[in-house]
Amino acid sequence: MGHKRRQPSQSMSERERFMSQKSVLIVDDSSSFRTVVKLSLMKAGYEVVEAVDGQDAVTKLDGKKFHCIVCDVNMPRMDGITFVKHMKTTNYKFIPV
């Protein structure tokens, strides 16, 4: 009877898209490895944050929500084992690594 169907909104805002994406932190001192993993994850729809070593990763945690962390073991300044031990003492302790 002449009822107009409500049209869905045209597109999500950048903020809505960012907030709905799953996010992954990649921690590796190899820029080529980070790039390959980042491209694959972004193609699959993930938001990706990169860190060059464990110490850099600690600064990237800073309250941001991550759904998964991919971490190398051998890195300068702070290795992966030390980073994970530190991470497990914070609010990030239940995030899969």
Side-chain angles (χ1 to χ4, degrees), residues 7-22:
Q7 295 292 327
S9 61
Q10 294 296 323
S11 65
M12 289 198 278
S13 71
E14 281 296 314
R15 179 169 168 70
E16 289 172 323
R17 201 172 309 123
F18 175 78
M19 296 303 286
S20 68
Q21 282 183 316
K22 300 276 186 191

Side-chain angles (χ1 to χ4, degrees), residues 23-42:
S23 58
V24 177
L25 175 63
I26 302 171
V27 187
D28 200 301
D29 56 326
S30 168
S31 62
S32 59
F33 178 81
R34 288 193 320 269
T35 300
V36 168
V37 174
K38 180 180 180 177
L39 292 174
S40 297
L41 290 171
M42 288 176 67

Side-chain angles (χ1 to χ4, degrees), residues 20-89:
S20 68
Q21 282 183 316
K22 300 276 186 191
S23 58
V24 177
L25 175 63
I26 302 171
V27 187
D28 200 301
D29 56 326
S30 168
S31 62
S32 59
F33 178 81
R34 288 193 320 269
T35 300
V36 168
V37 174
K38 180 180 180 177
L39 292 174
S40 297
L41 290 171
M42 288 176 67
K43 187 175 181 181
Y46 291 90
E47 183 227 346
V48 177
V49 175
E50 298 177 67
V52 298
D53 58 34
Q55 192 171 347
D56 186 30
V58 169
T59 65
K60 302 284 171 90
L61 290 177
D62 197 29
K64 171 131 180 62
K65 182 175 182 178
F66 290 103
H67 296 88
C68 179
I69 297 174
V70 177
C71 185
D72 187 13
V73 174
N74 295 316
M75 297 178 288
R77 295 196 309 164
M78 182 188 287
D79 64 28
I81 301 298
T82 305
F83 166 69
V84 171
K85 284 179 181 177
H86 169 78
M87 188 194 85
K88 294 300 180 180
T89 65

